């Protein structure tokens, strides 16, 4: 049902060629629909899979729509792909990405516990990576939240486009000769998660999905955007540490 009170929700993920990863993201959307059956929730992707985001936006009926990035931080896909989709259609808005969020830190800690990692063990927080300064700030904020749940050292590493790489972070985080655990700060199985097994960590935690917490966070992002129905102001000062480092703010 699409009304001014209930805009269409476009649940937009990156896309993956991994069948297991596709199933995990589909399950996330299923859980979102189960929690909010009154919403018209549509799938879209910025890469790899169909339907692509521009096509989904172009096919919408008249009325408001909110794109919820099923992504863990601000980056190219939020600032370019999703921003262009918003600009292509009147009454279309973007919510904030899923992270950072204390609930994600709690979920990461649970994944580490499931993998047998002790709270005192050193951990590499492994994120996909982006050249965007705000993406790095998002990951560092999440690392701070995770640090509040652990006593061991936490070092951030990236799969691509940022430094240090995950193998470099693993080398830095060695503790008394012992390899650190790797906390997979990724939504689902796929290429980047597969690479973590080659990074030299003692163990790699499972991706964040499946978890109902992700559906709850995505819906909270939607509710926040739908309550305001306004586009991000690229000139505003959001107060985050990355604002002086980028030309425009992408957070609504």
């Amino acid at each position: 049902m699409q009304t001014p009170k209930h805009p269409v929700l476009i649940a937009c993920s990156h896309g993956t060629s991994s069948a297991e990863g596709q199933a995990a993201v589909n399950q996330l959307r299923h859980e979102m629909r189960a929690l909010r059956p009154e919403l018209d929730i549509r799938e879209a992707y910025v890469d790899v899979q169909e339907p692509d985001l521009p096509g989904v936006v172009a096919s919408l009926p008249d009325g408001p729509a909110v794109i919820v990035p099923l992504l863990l931080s601000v980056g190219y896909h939020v600032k370019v792909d999703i921003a262009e989709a918003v600009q292509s259609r009147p009454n279309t808005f973007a919510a904030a990405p899923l992270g950072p969020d204390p609930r994600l830190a709690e979920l990461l800690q649970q994944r580490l516990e499931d993998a047998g990692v002790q709270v005192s063990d050193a951990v590499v927080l492994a994120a996909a990576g982006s050249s965007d300064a705000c993406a790095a700030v998002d990951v560092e904020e999440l690392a701070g939240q995770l640090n509040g749940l652990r006593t061991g050292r936490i070092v951030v590493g990236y799969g691509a486009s940022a430094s240090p790489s995950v193998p470099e972070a693993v080398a830095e985080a060695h503790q008394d000769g012992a390899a650190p655990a790797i906390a997979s700060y990724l939504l689902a199985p796929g290429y980047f998660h597969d690479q973590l097994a080659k990074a030299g960590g003692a163990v790699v935690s499972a991706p964040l999905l499946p978890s109902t917490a992700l559906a709850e966070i995505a819906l909270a992002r939607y509710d926040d955007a739908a309550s305001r129905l306004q586009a991000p102001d690229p000139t505003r000062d959001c107060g985050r540490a990355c604002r002086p480092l980028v030309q425009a703010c992408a957070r609504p």
Side-chain angles (χ1 to χ4, degrees):
M1 178 174 64
Q2 181 193 33
T3 69
K5 189 174 181 180
H6 297 299
V8 169
L9 190 165
I10 302 173
C12 181
S13 67
H14 180 278
T16 176
S17 59
S18 164
E20 190 178 1
Q22 292 174 10
V25 175
N26 288 339
Q27 177 64 21
L28 170 58
R29 292 194 188 89
H30 175 76
E31 291 175 350
M32 291 168 65
R33 293 185 179 105
L35 289 170
R36 299 287 293 276
E38 78 278 10
L39 297 181
D40 180 357
I41 299 178
R42 306 193 180 195
E43 70 175 311
Y45 304 91
V46 292
D47 200 1
V48 183
Q49 290 181 250
E50 298 287 342
D52 64 43
L53 179 61
V56 171
V57 170
S59 71
L60 292 176
D62 292 339
V66 172
I67 302 170
V68 177
L70 301 183
L71 304 166
L72 292 172
S73 64
V74 168
Y76 180 87
H77 294 303
V78 171
K79 289 190 170 183
V80 177
D81 295 318
I82 291 176
E84 289 178 354
V86 166
Q87 294 165 6
S88 72
R89 178 183 180 273
N91 224 8
T92 304
F93 309 93
L98 302 177
D101 190 286
R103 290 168 287 186
L104 295 178
E106 292 171 1
L107 183 55
L108 271 171
Q109 175 58 21
Q110 183 60 57
R111 293 289 184 264
L112 288 168
E113 291 178 4
D114 292 344
V117 180
Q118 303 300 309
V119 294
S120 59
D121 292 341
V123 164
V124 168
L125 178 63
S130 170
S131 60
D132 188 89
C134 289
V137 169
D138 285 352
V139 175
E140 291 289 348
E141 183 174 328
L142 193 283
Q145 294 166 347
L146 181 61
N147 188 58
L149 304 175
R150 303 186 55 77
T151 58
R153 185 184 183 193
I154 297 174
V155 178
V156 174
Y158 297 97
S161 304
S163 295
S165 67
V166 175
E168 290 170 341
V170 168
E172 179 184 343
H174 266 71
Q175 182 174 290
D176 298 326
I182 297 177
S184 178
Y185 188 43
L186 302 168
L187 279 181
Y191 175 79
F192 281 120
H193 182 76
D194 291 343
Q195 297 309 299
L196 298 184
K198 307 173 185 178
V203 66
V204 179
S205 67
L208 297 175
L209 290 173
S211 172
T212 303
L214 271 299
E216 293 170 347
I217 294 170
L219 290 168
R221 299 291 187 262
Y222 166 83
D223 287 338
D224 180 63
S227 70
R228 292 177 288 105
L229 288 185
Q230 60 188 37
D233 178 2
T235 66
R236 78 184 183 104
D237 183 356
C238 60
R240 295 174 65 81
C242 60
R243 187 62 188 94
L245 306 176
V246 296
Q247 292 184 341
C249 182
R251 286 189 174 272

